[in-house]
Each structure stands twice: as C-alpha cells, then as structure tokens.
Amino acid sequence: MGEILQRRIKRHPILEFEEKETITFYFEGKPLKARSSDTIASALIANGIDIFGWTENGRPRGFFCAIGKCSSCLVVVDGVPNVRACITKVKDGMSVERQIGRGAVWEEKR
Amino acid sequence: MKTELLVVGGGPAGLSGAIAAAKSGVKVLLIDEGLDLGGQLVKQTHKFFGHQGFFASKRGVEIAKILKNRIEDLKVDYMLQTTLVGFYEDAAVAYSREENKTYEIDYDYVLLATGASEKFLVFKNNMLPGVYGAGAVQTLMNQYGVLPGEDFLIIGAGNIGLIVAYQIAQAGGNVRAIVEISNRAGGYEVHANKIKRMGIPILLRHTIVKAIGKDRVKGAVIAKVDDNFKVIKGTEREIVADTICLSVGLQPSIELANQLGVEIVYIPELGGHVPKRDENMRTSKRNVFVAGDLSGIEEATSAMAEGYIAGYTIAQDITRRDLSEKINKYKEELVDLRRGPFGKKIRSGLEKMGIHLPSGGYRTDLQEDFGPSGKLRAIMECHQNIPCNPCEAVCPTNAIDMGGNINGIPHINYDKCVGCMMCVMKCPGLAIFMVQEFDEYSIVGIPYEFEPLPNVGDRVILMSRDGEDVGEGVIQRVIKNRKDKTHVVYVAMEKGLEKVVRHFRVPSFEEDKIVCRCEEVTKKDIEKAIAIGFTDFEELRRYLRIGMGPCGGRTCRLITMGILAKKTGKSIEEISSMNLRPPSIPLPIDSILRGEEK
C-alpha cells in the first residue's frame, strides 16, 4: 500500500492528485492497487494493463473514448458483463475480468 | 418522478441551462452519465479565451467547480452515473448504474445537452490498444492522473490535438509529433506556437498509415499525402510511439434528439447530423431544446451561452415572465464569439438553418511597434482575431486595448506599459512575453507552465519560436504565480537573441555528444575550449583531461584531433604532437610493489 504506480503522474504544474493507492481490486483473479478516485479503466491503465478484452475473433480490445460513448471498454464486473470500465468507479474487493465478445448473458460467479 | 424541465447532460451547456431555468423559478432535474458534474470541463487544464463575464483566463477544471457550486446553491436536483436511455411515448426512462434501476421521468420541457463523441479514423490496425481518442488521453491524465504511455503521436492539429499535445508535455510525456493531413494547423496560432517552440514537430500534409504492434501500440507508420490526401508512395516512415491520439473532430450525440422526433439535418460545418433549431435553441418540437456541441461542434464558452439562452427561453415559456433582456444578452455574446475568422464555419453552418450572424467589425492590423529598446515591456504575439481580452482587462495602466471589439488584435501603448507582467500571467494563449535589452545582454520573460521550475543561475538551452536551439542562457528570475499557475521565467541571453527566443529547456544527458567516454567530455566542451584559445592537443588534454582517463586516449584522441583540425584549419598531421606516457593501461600499485626484474 502507498506506492505510486509507474504510470501515475508524479508532478503536475497545474493539478494535484490524490497520492496513494488505497484500494485493492482483482483483475483476472490477481490483486491490483487503485486510488479511490479511479474508474476501472484508469486503474487498469495505471497498472499497465491495456487489453480490456477480446472481440469474438480474438482481436485485443482497449478503450478509446474514456467518457462512456464508444463501448470499447466493456468488462465483466463481479460476474456481470458489458460494464463500461471508463465510467464505472473501481471499488475495494471488486472483481474485474476481460470480456470476450459480447459477454455471456449471465455469468454466474465462477 | 416529475419535473418541469429535464436537462440531459451536465456539461457547460446543460449546467448553464439548468442554472438559467432554476434561477427563474423553474423546477429542474438534471441527469448526467458521468461521475461528477462538469462534462468535459473537468479535464480542461488550459485557460479559456473570452472575457471576464464568461470565465476568461480560468481553467476548465475551475469553471466546472463554479458551475457545480451554482447548481448546488440553486438546489437543482441532479442524478449522476445515470443515463437517459430512452424517450418513450409517455415518459423518459433513465438508468442509474449505482442503483442498477430505471426511473420514469415525467417532464414538460427537455433540454438536450448530450455533447459529442470523438470521431474515429480508419487506418490499418486502428483498433489496437494504445490508439485512443485525444480526449480519452486528456481524461486519463487530467482527471485521473494517469499517463497511458511515454511516447505519443497525435493525429490532427486542430485545437484539441494542439491542446492535448501541450498537456501531455505538462504531464511529463514525450510528444513525438503532431500529424496533420491539411497544409496548416487548424487550431489557434497561439496553441500551435506553444507546441512549435517546444520543438514538437507539426507534420503538415501527413497522415497515419498504420499502427504497429500485435497486442498494443509500439509505433506507427506515417506518410506524406498529395493534394487529394492520398498517400504518396515511398514517403512512409516509422515513428516510435506507444500511444496514438486521434483528434480528428467531434460528432454531435444526436441519438436522444432523434428519439424525440425532432427534425435532424446534415450540416458538415456543424459536425454532421444536428437537430434543427432556432435562435432560442428550440427544435422543431415546441418543448424540446438543444445546446452545446449537440447543436453544432464549437467550444465551451458558446455552449454556456447557448445553455443560458435555452434555459431562459424555457423559463419564459413556463413562467410567462418576460426574460428577453437576459436572452438577448447571451445572443449578443454569441454574436461576438462567432464574429471572427474562427467563427466562419459555425456561421455558415447556422446560415443553412436560417440563422444569420454578422462578421467583421474588429481591428485586424498588427502592431508594428515593439516599444523602446531598453525598457522592460510586454511583447504581444497574438496575431489572430480570437474573441478574447483578459490582457486588456487585467492591465492596471490601461496600456492594452483591443480596438473596441473583443475580436480585435491587441495593441499596447508603450508609454503606459510599466512592465508589471500581469498580462503575461493572464493570457490564455501564453502569447505575451517580457523583453528588456541591456548594454551587454538582454532578458526575455517567458510564460512557463512546466514542472519543475528552473532555479536562478541554471544554464539552459534557448529555443526559438520554431523550437530551434539558438544558444545558451542563464535563468535570471523566476516569478511564481501560485494562483493562476502561469509562472514567468526570465532568461538572460546574448543581445539580439531577445527577438527570437521564446522558450528554453534544461539540457539533459540525452542530448550530449560524448567524445571522451572516460572523462565524459563532450564535443561541445572541446569546441568551447578551442574557442577560448586551447588550440593544441596537449593544451586541450591538460585543460579538459581528455585522453587522460583509463583508456589513455584510445577512444577520443583521433576524434579530438579531427575537431581541432576543423576548427583551426590545420591538418591532423600538423597538430599531431603528442606525448603518450606510460603506463598504457591502468595497473594496480601493489603489482608494481611486488614487481620483479626479468
């Protein structure tokens, strides 16, 4: 806890950011750290994760617009598919998984 | 839920509309998808153009806070993380993500301020992770403090591309280039100038051909284009970048407007499909209004003015009070915002809807006089007719004037300028510099928004308006501006350079050209030593210790002689006096102590 991830902006001439990573969430089962102000997308990118899922044809999918418009960032959150990572806050203990294609209609917790 | 006015979208347009209506006594419910109010203002770290009445010189992030406070003060109901998913015959339906629940909303009037989305661009491998909308990178950096890469390539040199490039640099990223397909940067010259003086290339008549990488971006292929924007074969080249930002325009988010059945027209100048509306922002349906980017891609100040017009007009309908004075005030604002050359597109777009706006009527001539040499004074490099006047407003001695209209080119009266540099700190375009000439040297005061600030006495590399290295200078004064965060850094330099120097950078290891690996002597060190009179190899050796390291000169000797020969005009043979003493390699002292005769 408390470390600053590599992709975090350390110093900014205009803005001040919360400094600490205080939340733990799980990505593909692996614990990762995040700030309480993060969305799922910003937390994943900060942790160096650029692939949010795959299309049905196996093409890697990242995110594109960051404001909830393009639906490129859909992930499975606590078993529920089609969650927009860019406008959903990350929460302590949350489970995030890469979505394949359109996601299963209902993915029971595995 | 029942409300008189439903506002969809909590950006500058929606917030302004909600404020205007609520102030006039209308019951308002505002719905926004995002995590906080402000729309895209929350990621705008640059200072806005315009005038004081419309937040000029304030940064977008601050404007978002001010508007939010007004909403709170007026006790406007709002729902965040909630999406208006559909307009059905008898009600509007909103979905709250937090509650995972839908709400039916019964409304009398609706103001759609749904904004716009970034346009995508078609090129090979364009779906690769690491290809982002420029606005997405801005969101990540400025809202969440995350820089998604190290080396960035920007596609499109409109205002968004230019602003995002500058902000990436502020956040500590490297912008490799801005690629622009047309023959000029479409954004404001002052934004382009900030990029150019940092040495970031703006490659005109270029396009992206392909993103390189398998799982994520590792680079890009760019190429030159011909007059028809077709790639010229053989001009392709690779650029190293891990992030590609597309800033190729915005398109209005018309989905809800279409559901409501309002007339939609296709007007390229306004960004494509837009709802048809009148001067009061009313669509073809009496109770449906639009404002902001949805009604035509423009910028946040005009979005706010449109929001106010819509909000007051709706309030006028509902309360039957005459609010025309307020409505007309904001219409006049829009006239001035769109009067200049950058308003041409929106003017011709609106003309197609039957809305006529005047143009011209402002000063266009540039000031030729740069003031009396020797006096500390402001130099204005603002050459385009932009509706903006904070310099005029802040000047305590009234030395600056726009010539009667906010779109005018600023002129400065040097009899009145006292060198207070307040205009330098306020100018949203960072286009005002301080200059003073002395007998032996000159100083330039540069508006500076980077971390870390240099220290007095630091040696820096001076950069021209085009980002070329033009010499070395010394930091003379650093004026910190804690409130606005546009600091002024004074650099002392050789006389004459004050006419060209507009930026500087701190020299880094990466730019050193090393000649002597052992003693870390650079080519520049050698050239300087020669220039001050060390014109012999043995002298250079003693002065710089070049060739006196552990390698004994094996790496540097010939290169140094080459430089010496070139600088002095002598042949290498002529300067080949050398005295190469033992030992020829470093050896331990105790090996000598334990030495034997053989």
Side-chain angles (χ1 to χ4, degrees):
Chain A
M1 276 299 161
E3 73 183 294
I4 298 173
L5 296 167
Q6 194 56 39
R7 280 179 171 178
R8 294 289 187 192
I9 296 167
K10 273 109 202 154
R11 273 208 285 211
H12 197 281
I14 312 293
L15 301 166
E16 280 168 28
F17 296 109
E18 184 191 345
E19 278 199 358
K20 286 182 179 165
E21 325 282 345
T22 54
I23 281 180
T24 302
F25 72 108
Y26 297 85
F27 180 67
E28 304 268 287
K30 209 179 115 199
L32 294 179
K33 282 161 188 165
R35 291 175 180 169
S36 59
S37 52
D38 272 324
T39 58
I40 297 170
S42 68
L44 290 177
I45 300 278
N47 279 282
I49 292 156
D50 298 311
I51 302 173
F52 285 25
W54 282 279
T55 64
E56 270 153 22
N57 297 318
R59 203 185 280 277
R61 184 144 65 183
F63 89 144
F64 179 71
C65 85
I67 55 169
K69 301 229 181 197
C70 78
S71 289
S72 238
C73 63
L74 300 178
V75 289
V76 182
V77 174
D78 294 330
V80 180
N82 296 316
V83 175
R84 285 176 289 176
C86 71
I87 53 167
T88 304
K89 286 201 119 180
V90 71
K91 286 183 184 149
D92 206 42
M94 187 182 254
S95 152
V96 179
E97 278 161 279
R98 288 187 170 122
Q99 180 169 324
I100 296 167
R102 289 172 180 82
V105 174
W106 183 249
E107 300 193 3
E108 286 293 340
K109 279 200 175 169
R110 282 164 276 186
Chain B
M1 281 183 174
K2 198 171 158 41
T3 186
E4 286 179 307
L5 170 61
L6 169 64
V7 178
V8 188
L15 291 175
S16 303
I19 290 166
K23 253 179 156 175
S24 316
V26 171
K27 184 175 157 47
V28 179
L29 172 65
L30 184 146
I31 287 181
D32 189 87
E33 256 189 335
L35 299 172
D36 205 353
L37 291 178
Q40 306 317 310
L41 287 173
V42 298
K43 64 189 186 192
Q44 310 296 343
T45 54
H46 56 283
K47 294 187 285 190
F48 276 48
F49 296 95
H51 65 81
Q52 275 180 323
F54 250 129
F55 311 112
S57 210
K58 283 227 178 326
R59 299 181 193 273
V61 280
E62 300 164 27
I63 300 171
K65 279 183 202 150
I66 295 168
L67 294 178
K68 188 184 172 180
N69 286 341
R70 286 189 191 165
I71 290 284
E72 305 272 2
D73 291 345
L74 289 163
K75 300 196 165 43
V76 172
D77 281 332
Y78 64 87
M79 297 166 77
L80 290 172
Q81 303 190 54
T82 303
T83 308
L84 203 300
V85 287
F87 281 100
Y88 296 88
E89 259 174 46
D90 46 358
V93 176
Y95 163 66
S96 156
R97 294 198 300 282
E98 275 293 278
E99 299 168 61
N100 189 29
K101 174 178 167 183
T102 57
Y103 286 94
E104 274 188 31
I105 300 160
D106 185 12
Y107 62 90
D108 299 327
Y109 280 77
V110 60
L111 169 57
L112 296 177
T114 48
S117 60
E118 294 193 274
K119 282 185 182 159
F120 195 36
L121 188 67
V122 181
F123 56 91
K124 280 183 194 163
N125 214 7
N126 59 349
M127 208 178 123
L128 199 60
V131 177
Y132 297 115
V137 170
Q138 208 182 15
T139 299
L140 276 176
M141 301 190 289
N142 297 344
Q143 207 173 345
Y144 301 106
V146 180
L147 198 57
E150 286 176 24
D151 295 300
F152 295 75
L153 176 67
I154 317 269
I155 313 299
N159 274 330
I160 295 180
L162 296 170
I163 288 170
V164 171
Y166 181 72
Q167 292 176 357
I168 289 170
Q170 285 183 307
N174 307 315
V175 181
R176 305 304 303 246
I178 303 181
V179 169
E180 166 59 48
I181 200 161
S182 74
N183 56 7
R184 59 181 209 86
Y188 290 160
E189 183 200 58
V190 289
H191 282 320
N193 286 349
K194 290 191 296 185
I195 297 301
K196 285 183 190 164
R197 64 185 182 244
M198 283 192 283
I200 296 171
I202 300 177
L203 305 172
L204 302 176
R205 286 183 168 263
H206 275 73
T207 193
I208 181 164
V209 177
K210 139 186 196 188
I212 302 172
K214 197 163 171 285
D215 289 333
R216 77 167 324 287
V217 172
K218 290 207 161 72
V221 176
I222 62 166
K224 280 190 188 163
V225 295
D226 63 18
D227 292 343
N228 302 314
F229 304 123
K230 288 267 184 308
V231 167
I232 303 172
K233 280 229 164 75
T235 63
E236 296 89 348
R237 62 181 162 122
E238 286 185 14
I239 293 230
V240 175
D242 55 16
T243 310
I244 298 170
C245 305
L246 306 183
S247 54
V248 291
L250 301 172
Q251 55 191 349
S253 297
I254 53 157
E255 296 72 21
L256 294 177
N258 186 248
Q259 284 182 24
L260 279 163
V262 308
E263 189 183 345
I264 306 272
V265 285
Y266 183 76
I267 302 179
E269 292 95 327
L270 301 181
H273 290 107
V274 285
K276 190 164 188 292
R277 46 83 172 184
D278 66 12
E279 273 189 324
N280 292 330
M281 310 311 295
R282 195 193 302 261
T283 65
S284 58
K285 287 210 163 176
R286 188 193 54 85
N287 66 336
V288 180
F289 286 69
V290 291
D293 274 352
L294 165 63
S295 66
I297 304 301
E298 216 172 340
E299 42 73 56
T301 308
S302 50
M304 287 186 267
E306 289 179 344
Y308 281 113
I309 292 169
Y312 282 122
T313 306
I314 292 164
Q316 192 169 256
D317 272 22
I318 293 174
T319 64
R320 311 243 166 235
R321 274 167 57 204
D322 176 19
L323 298 169
S324 55
E325 202 179 307
K326 285 180 169 138
I327 295 167
N328 289 334
K329 184 190 137 195
Y330 287 105
K331 282 186 187 168
E332 280 162 28
E333 293 278 1
L334 282 179
V335 165
D336 262 351
L337 284 170
R338 294 166 174 164
R339 195 182 272 282
F342 287 94
K344 196 179 165 204
K345 214 166 143 188
I346 196 100
R347 284 198 309 271
S348 62
L350 290 176
E351 192 77 52
K352 292 183 180 173
M353 280 194 198
I355 298 170
H356 178 75
L357 290 167
S359 65
Y362 43 78
R363 177 163 68 204
T364 54
D365 55 312
L366 303 177
Q367 184 168 10
E368 303 290 338
D369 163 28
F370 299 108
S373 181
K375 175 177 172 159
L376 178 65
R377 63 203 190 276
I379 301 283
M380 324 208 68
E381 303 197 341
C382 176
H383 308 131
Q384 288 178 325
N385 293 100
I386 299 171
C388 182
N389 72 354
C391 55
E392 180 186 46
V394 77
C395 180
T397 60
N398 297 319
I400 302 171
D401 79 281
M402 317 303 297
N405 183 281
I406 191 168
N407 288 285
I409 302 283
H411 284 194
I412 181 162
N413 178 342
Y414 285 110
D415 293 334
K416 289 186 182 173
C417 176
V418 292
C420 71
M421 71 189 123
M422 282 171 76
C423 55
V424 181
M425 291 180 171
K426 278 283 172 203
C427 175
L430 306 188
I432 309 178
F433 302 84
M434 299 300 295
V435 163
Q436 186 171 22
E437 302 85 350
F438 296 95
D439 289 343
E440 302 288 316
Y441 65 100
S442 293
I443 56 169
V444 176
I446 293 168
Y448 198 74
E449 295 183 335
F450 293 96
E451 275 282 335
L453 279 173
N455 295 307
V456 172
D458 285 355
R459 299 196 73 83
V460 293
I461 296 168
L462 303 169
M463 297 165 84
S464 71
R465 290 183 186 87
D466 293 325
E468 305 275 344
D469 293 358
V470 289
E472 272 188 27
V474 178
I475 302 295
Q476 204 212 31
R477 272 173 87 193
V478 178
I479 316 289
K480 285 187 189 161
N481 177 4
R482 287 200 173 79
K483 186 166 162 275
D484 293 329
K485 296 184 174 146
T486 304
H487 313 289
V488 185
V489 176
Y490 281 89
V491 196
M493 61 196 68
E494 190 185 307
K495 210 167 172 179
L497 283 178
E498 76 282 354
K499 291 187 177 68
V500 294
V501 170
R502 291 298 176 262
H503 196 60
F504 64 86
R505 68 175 194 281
V506 178
S508 75
F509 277 179
E510 288 163 42
E511 28 194 304
D512 286 342
K513 294 175 183 168
I514 299 288
V515 173
C516 163
R517 299 172 68 105
C518 302
E519 299 289 330
E520 233 180 316
V521 181
T522 66
K523 185 176 175 218
K524 209 181 228 171
D525 293 332
I526 296 168
E527 286 169 346
K528 265 193 199 163
I530 297 168
I532 60 170
F534 295 92
T535 52
D536 173 82
F537 181 69
E538 284 302 312
E539 282 175 12
L540 277 177
R541 204 154 87 121
R542 284 175 180 84
Y543 179 60
L544 292 173
R545 292 192 52 80
I546 194 157
M548 289 169 82
C551 90
R554 287 171 178 84
T555 317
C556 61
R557 190 188 310 127
L558 201 54
I559 300 175
T560 307
M561 286 182 175
I563 296 168
L564 194 55
K566 205 172 168 191
K567 288 274 161 191
T568 57
K570 292 179 184 166
S571 71
I572 291 193
E573 255 189 329
E574 284 174 84
I575 52 175
S576 289
S577 72
M578 57 189 130
N579 194 359
L580 308 175
R581 278 185 290 263
S584 63
I585 55 152
L587 68 163
I589 292 281
D590 69 339
S591 72
I592 300 169
L593 293 176
R594 294 196 284 116
E596 272 176 39
E597 274 188 46
K598 210 164 181 176

